[in-house]
Amino acid sequence: MAEIEREAMEYDVVIVGAGPAGLSAAIRLKQLNADLDVVVLEKGSEVGAHILSGAVLDPCGLDKLIPDWKEKGAPLNVEVKEDNFYMLGEAGEIRIPNFPMPPLMNNHGNYIVSMANVCRWMAEQAEELGVEIFPGMACSELVYGEAGTIKGVVAGVFGLEEDGSYGSNTEPGMELHGKYVFLSEGVRGSLAKEVIERYGLSDGKEPQKFGLGMKEIWEIDPAKHKEGTVTHTMGWPLGGNAGGGSFIYHLENNQVYVGFVVHLNYKNPHLFPYMEFQRFKHHPMVAELLEGGKRVAYGARAISEGGYQSMPQMVAPGVALLGCSVGMVNVPRIKGNHNAMLSGIAAAEAAHKALEEGRSSDELHEYEQEVRKGDIGKDLKKVRNVKPMWSKWGMLPSLALGGLDMWCNTLFGISPFGTLKHGKNDAASTELAASHKPIDYPKPDGKLSFDRLTNVSFAMTNHEESQPCHLQLKDVNIPIMTNLPMYAEPAQRYCPAGVYEVVEEEGKDPRFVVNFQNCVHCKTCDIKDPSQNINWVTPQGGDGPNYPNM
Ligand SMILES: Cc1cc2nc3c(=O)[nH]c(=O)nc-3n(C[C@H](O)[C@H](O)[C@H](O)COP(=O)(O)OP(=O)(O)OC[C@H]3O[C@@H](n4cnc5c(N)ncnc54)[C@H](O)[C@@H]3O)c2cc1C
């Protein structure tokens, strides 16, 4: 194949991903030096289109970045007024009082927000400072410089032939070169994954852990709506089958975020996370709230859960990993946006200092130091044992011991347990289908619960069909030859968008079908496939979900 010729543009800092981490970095760079050339590239059709967070936002990151955010009209309109935590059984619930919870679990002073809208507002602030933001530009490749540095990315490749080759209608995109490249792609970033592998950044660290978060927006009866109320639940329907739980946040305009997280280290390959979420809405407490309302949006995204002990090294020559590309979610608080913002600020400050000193394309160790020892590290260190306790001992013991551990960390700065290990990665946690019972899920009723494909239409996802499938199978035989007999091919169930199907027709061999058009970019397949056979790469820019105010 002939060498592909691309135009190149030179910047001081190239930022991949317009989430809270990338946008914070862009804003801080321009606050520090208005003359810096900074570009942000986003694969969504617009900023916010691929952002899916709960979200209860701890404003500490925004306070540091734009202290007068209120005067500047940031869309943080709903302060948390009430914070409830329930343990669910099939027919009822027990409220866990707030007083035994460590202070870090308190949501007062936090805001219920649409992070998609917060990111849209942050993008406006960045553009006012002179940052160039290009939505609809997926970064599909890294550009390597001499001596193994990363000098940029390829963005904006459109119109590839179905087999991945260049045709007469292919636009080759461009190379964007930076003295530093920031990867702020969020959880399981495709370029970040390449960097982590290539430079061995996870060597000696615990494996990263993940959950699958699914979320619907509901418009409910105004009489039942309690603006500012935050509710979390554990227990039913997952019980002992998997870790996880739900969130219900009452935002503005009689809307409610209803979300459900399933930890991806579950063992039983028959588990169907999407159907667990649908079943959850039939719990009497939840059904009572939603009855008479309507679901107006749906989406899904993986959430990083490994925390402090799973953070890889964050820098390599010319590149820094930000936010959830590293994995900065505080698991018991289910919050990562504040740390994503703080990491963006820290990376910007380190790059600015380096540029002032005339450096470029080296390792920004000052950034990594700040993350590990500064506010992010402190936030994550206190809660580092909650996830491994849950994985090892289950929900109830980990509630008690995790609470004790968080109190010890908060009061004395130490843990009686030291730092617990996570052990296996989530793919390796999957056990053989034969050693588990299939789970019988009730059919969705079309009122409170919906079938997967109907719900996916509420993610407004769209992919140009003639492009290559962005869900690459390393070995096309594995789904049917290995995963089906051993694990009942769990891709059929773990994907919250119904991308993967095993089609069995009489007299024919079973076929594995990948409906990549449905993909909502959650990255669960890249994480959970027990054979680690699926590689999620970015499709062309502008494709994927189009979330309104997730
Ligand atoms: C269901 C759920 C609920 C959550 N609830 C909360 C909560 O209530 N509070 C809270 O604080 N946190 C919450 N989180 C965690 C929070 O969402 C993350 O910590 C946060 O999004 C991390 O920010 P980020 O900027 O690192 O990545 P993201 O917010 O994921 O942003 C990454 C951006 O990069 C873009 N991108 C990715 N790859 C490329 C590429 N190759 N080229 C171009 N663009 C690319 C993406 O489209 C996206 O816009 C929740 C997460 C989930 C899944």
Side-chain angles (χ1 to χ4, degrees), residues 423-451:
K424 293 179 196 161
N425 68 32
D426 293 329
S429 304
T430 318
E431 293 180 350
L432 295 178
S435 48
H436 291 274
K437 281 201 190 111
I439 304 171
D440 194 17
Y441 290 99
K443 250 179 105 107
D445 70 353
K447 292 184 191 123
L448 291 177
S449 48
F450 312 99
D451 68 74

Short mmCIF file of all heavy atoms in Angstrom, two decimals, residues 423-451:
data_model
loop_
_atom_site.label_atom_id
_atom_site.label_comp_id
_atom_site.label_asym_id
_atom_site.label_seq_id
_atom_site.Cartn_x
_atom_site.Cartn_y
_atom_site.Cartn_z
N GLY A 423 -6.33 -8.92 42.89
CA GLY A 423 -6.16 -10.27 42.30
C GLY A 423 -6.40 -10.26 40.81
O GLY A 423 -5.72 -9.53 40.08
N LYS A 424 -7.40 -11.04 40.38
CA LYS A 424 -7.61 -11.23 38.93
C LYS A 424 -8.20 -10.00 38.25
O LYS A 424 -8.91 -9.23 38.88
CB LYS A 424 -8.63 -12.35 38.74
CG LYS A 424 -8.19 -13.70 39.15
CD LYS A 424 -9.37 -14.65 38.90
CE LYS A 424 -9.14 -15.95 39.64
NZ LYS A 424 -10.32 -16.73 39.84
N ASN A 425 -8.01 -9.92 36.93
CA ASN A 425 -8.76 -8.92 36.19
C ASN A 425 -10.18 -9.44 35.96
O ASN A 425 -10.49 -10.60 36.25
CB ASN A 425 -8.06 -8.51 34.89
CG ASN A 425 -8.03 -9.62 33.86
OD1 ASN A 425 -8.94 -10.46 33.79
ND2 ASN A 425 -6.99 -9.66 33.06
N ASP A 426 -11.07 -8.57 35.46
CA ASP A 426 -12.49 -8.93 35.39
C ASP A 426 -12.77 -10.04 34.38
O ASP A 426 -13.68 -10.85 34.57
CB ASP A 426 -13.33 -7.69 35.05
CG ASP A 426 -13.30 -6.67 36.17
OD1 ASP A 426 -13.18 -7.09 37.33
OD2 ASP A 426 -13.38 -5.47 35.88
N ALA A 427 -12.00 -10.08 33.30
CA ALA A 427 -12.20 -11.14 32.30
C ALA A 427 -11.90 -12.50 32.93
O ALA A 427 -12.64 -13.47 32.76
CB ALA A 427 -11.31 -10.90 31.09
N ALA A 428 -10.81 -12.54 33.70
CA ALA A 428 -10.37 -13.81 34.29
C ALA A 428 -11.29 -14.27 35.42
O ALA A 428 -11.23 -15.43 35.84
CB ALA A 428 -8.94 -13.67 34.80
N SER A 429 -12.15 -13.37 35.92
CA SER A 429 -13.08 -13.77 36.99
C SER A 429 -14.23 -14.63 36.46
O SER A 429 -14.93 -15.28 37.23
CB SER A 429 -13.72 -12.54 37.64
OG SER A 429 -12.73 -11.69 38.10
N THR A 430 -14.46 -14.60 35.16
CA THR A 430 -15.59 -15.33 34.59
C THR A 430 -15.34 -16.84 34.70
O THR A 430 -14.28 -17.32 34.32
CB THR A 430 -15.76 -14.97 33.09
OG1 THR A 430 -15.58 -13.57 32.96
CG2 THR A 430 -17.10 -15.40 32.55
N GLU A 431 -16.32 -17.55 35.24
CA GLU A 431 -16.16 -19.00 35.40
C GLU A 431 -16.96 -19.75 34.32
O GLU A 431 -17.77 -19.16 33.60
CB GLU A 431 -16.61 -19.42 36.79
CG GLU A 431 -15.68 -18.84 37.86
CD GLU A 431 -16.06 -19.20 39.30
OE1 GLU A 431 -17.17 -19.74 39.52
OE2 GLU A 431 -15.25 -18.91 40.18
N LEU A 432 -16.73 -21.06 34.28
CA LEU A 432 -17.39 -21.87 33.25
C LEU A 432 -18.91 -21.86 33.41
O LEU A 432 -19.43 -21.92 34.53
CB LEU A 432 -16.89 -23.31 33.32
CG LEU A 432 -15.40 -23.49 32.99
CD1 LEU A 432 -15.00 -24.96 33.14
CD2 LEU A 432 -15.08 -22.99 31.58
N ALA A 433 -19.61 -21.84 32.28
CA ALA A 433 -21.08 -21.82 32.31
C ALA A 433 -21.63 -23.06 33.02
O ALA A 433 -22.62 -22.98 33.75
CB ALA A 433 -21.62 -21.74 30.88
N ALA A 434 -20.96 -24.18 32.83
CA ALA A 434 -21.46 -25.43 33.39
C ALA A 434 -21.46 -25.41 34.91
O ALA A 434 -22.21 -26.15 35.55
CB ALA A 434 -20.61 -26.59 32.88
N SER A 435 -20.63 -24.58 35.51
CA SER A 435 -20.61 -24.57 36.98
C SER A 435 -21.58 -23.54 37.57
O SER A 435 -21.56 -23.29 38.77
CB SER A 435 -19.18 -24.36 37.49
OG SER A 435 -18.57 -23.30 36.82
N HIS A 436 -22.40 -22.92 36.72
CA HIS A 436 -23.39 -21.95 37.23
C HIS A 436 -24.75 -22.22 36.61
O HIS A 436 -24.85 -22.71 35.48
CB HIS A 436 -22.95 -20.52 36.89
CG HIS A 436 -21.76 -20.09 37.65
ND1 HIS A 436 -21.83 -19.54 38.90
CD2 HIS A 436 -20.44 -20.15 37.33
CE1 HIS A 436 -20.61 -19.26 39.33
NE2 HIS A 436 -19.74 -19.62 38.39
N LYS A 437 -25.79 -21.80 37.34
CA LYS A 437 -27.16 -21.99 36.84
C LYS A 437 -27.53 -20.80 35.94
O LYS A 437 -27.25 -19.64 36.29
CB LYS A 437 -28.13 -21.98 38.01
CG LYS A 437 -28.18 -23.27 38.75
CD LYS A 437 -29.53 -23.33 39.52
CE LYS A 437 -29.50 -24.50 40.46
NZ LYS A 437 -29.47 -24.12 41.86
N PRO A 438 -28.22 -21.08 34.82
CA PRO A 438 -28.78 -19.96 34.05
C PRO A 438 -29.76 -19.18 34.92
O PRO A 438 -30.36 -19.72 35.85
CB PRO A 438 -29.50 -20.65 32.89
CG PRO A 438 -28.89 -22.01 32.80
CD PRO A 438 -28.48 -22.38 34.20
N ILE A 439 -29.92 -17.90 34.64
CA ILE A 439 -30.82 -17.05 35.44
C ILE A 439 -32.04 -16.73 34.58
O ILE A 439 -31.91 -16.35 33.42
CB ILE A 439 -30.11 -15.75 35.87
CG1 ILE A 439 -28.82 -16.08 36.63
CG2 ILE A 439 -31.03 -14.88 36.72
CD1 ILE A 439 -27.93 -14.89 36.93
N ASP A 440 -33.21 -16.90 35.19
CA ASP A 440 -34.45 -16.69 34.45
C ASP A 440 -34.90 -15.24 34.69
O ASP A 440 -35.25 -14.87 35.81
CB ASP A 440 -35.48 -17.68 35.02
CG ASP A 440 -36.68 -17.77 34.12
OD1 ASP A 440 -36.57 -17.35 32.95
OD2 ASP A 440 -37.73 -18.25 34.59
N TYR A 441 -34.86 -14.43 33.65
CA TYR A 441 -35.26 -13.02 33.81
C TYR A 441 -36.68 -12.81 33.32
O TYR A 441 -37.04 -13.29 32.23
CB TYR A 441 -34.30 -12.11 33.03
CG TYR A 441 -32.92 -12.06 33.64
CD1 TYR A 441 -31.88 -12.83 33.12
CD2 TYR A 441 -32.66 -11.27 34.74
CE1 TYR A 441 -30.61 -12.80 33.68
CE2 TYR A 441 -31.40 -11.23 35.32
CZ TYR A 441 -30.39 -11.99 34.79
OH TYR A 441 -29.14 -11.95 35.37
N PRO A 442 -37.48 -12.05 34.06
CA PRO A 442 -38.84 -11.77 33.58
C PRO A 442 -38.79 -10.91 32.32
O PRO A 442 -37.86 -10.12 32.14
CB PRO A 442 -39.48 -11.00 34.73
CG PRO A 442 -38.40 -10.64 35.67
CD PRO A 442 -37.18 -11.44 35.36
N LYS A 443 -39.80 -11.07 31.48
CA LYS A 443 -39.86 -10.27 30.26
C LYS A 443 -40.16 -8.81 30.60
O LYS A 443 -40.98 -8.54 31.48
CB LYS A 443 -41.04 -10.79 29.39
CG LYS A 443 -40.61 -11.50 28.14
CD LYS A 443 -41.85 -11.98 27.41
CE LYS A 443 -42.08 -11.08 26.24
NZ LYS A 443 -41.86 -11.43 24.97
N PRO A 444 -39.51 -7.87 29.92
CA PRO A 444 -39.84 -6.46 30.18
C PRO A 444 -41.31 -6.18 29.91
O PRO A 444 -41.89 -6.76 28.99
CB PRO A 444 -38.95 -5.70 29.18
CG PRO A 444 -37.89 -6.65 28.79
CD PRO A 444 -38.46 -8.02 28.90
N ASP A 445 -41.91 -5.29 30.71
CA ASP A 445 -43.34 -5.02 30.53
C ASP A 445 -43.63 -3.85 29.59
O ASP A 445 -44.79 -3.54 29.32
CB ASP A 445 -44.02 -4.79 31.89
CG ASP A 445 -43.59 -3.47 32.53
OD1 ASP A 445 -42.69 -2.80 31.99
OD2 ASP A 445 -44.17 -3.10 33.57
N GLY A 446 -42.59 -3.18 29.11
CA GLY A 446 -42.78 -2.07 28.19
C GLY A 446 -43.24 -0.78 28.87
O GLY A 446 -43.42 0.24 28.21
N LYS A 447 -43.42 -0.85 30.20
CA LYS A 447 -43.82 0.36 30.94
C LYS A 447 -42.69 0.82 31.85
O LYS A 447 -42.24 1.96 31.79
CB LYS A 447 -45.08 0.08 31.77
CG LYS A 447 -46.32 -0.15 30.92
CD LYS A 447 -47.53 -0.32 31.82
CE LYS A 447 -48.70 -0.82 30.98
NZ LYS A 447 -49.25 -2.08 31.48
N LEU A 448 -42.27 -0.12 32.73
CA LEU A 448 -41.14 0.20 33.61
C LEU A 448 -39.85 -0.37 33.05
O LEU A 448 -38.76 0.16 33.28
CB LEU A 448 -41.37 -0.41 35.00
CG LEU A 448 -42.49 0.17 35.85
CD1 LEU A 448 -42.61 -0.60 37.15
CD2 LEU A 448 -42.21 1.64 36.14
N SER A 449 -39.97 -1.50 32.36
CA SER A 449 -38.78 -2.19 31.85
C SER A 449 -38.93 -2.36 30.34
O SER A 449 -40.05 -2.49 29.84
CB SER A 449 -38.65 -3.55 32.53
OG SER A 449 -39.87 -4.23 32.53
N PHE A 450 -37.79 -2.36 29.65
CA PHE A 450 -37.82 -2.34 28.19
C PHE A 450 -36.83 -3.34 27.63
O PHE A 450 -35.80 -3.61 28.24
CB PHE A 450 -37.47 -0.94 27.68
CG PHE A 450 -38.24 0.14 28.40
CD1 PHE A 450 -37.66 0.84 29.44
CD2 PHE A 450 -39.57 0.39 28.08
CE1 PHE A 450 -38.38 1.79 30.14
CE2 PHE A 450 -40.30 1.34 28.77
CZ PHE A 450 -39.71 2.03 29.80
N ASP A 451 -37.14 -3.84 26.43
CA ASP A 451 -36.15 -4.72 25.83
C ASP A 451 -34.96 -3.88 25.37
O ASP A 451 -35.07 -2.66 25.21
CB ASP A 451 -36.77 -5.56 24.70
CG ASP A 451 -37.13 -4.71 23.52
OD1 ASP A 451 -36.21 -4.29 22.81
OD2 ASP A 451 -38.34 -4.43 23.34
#
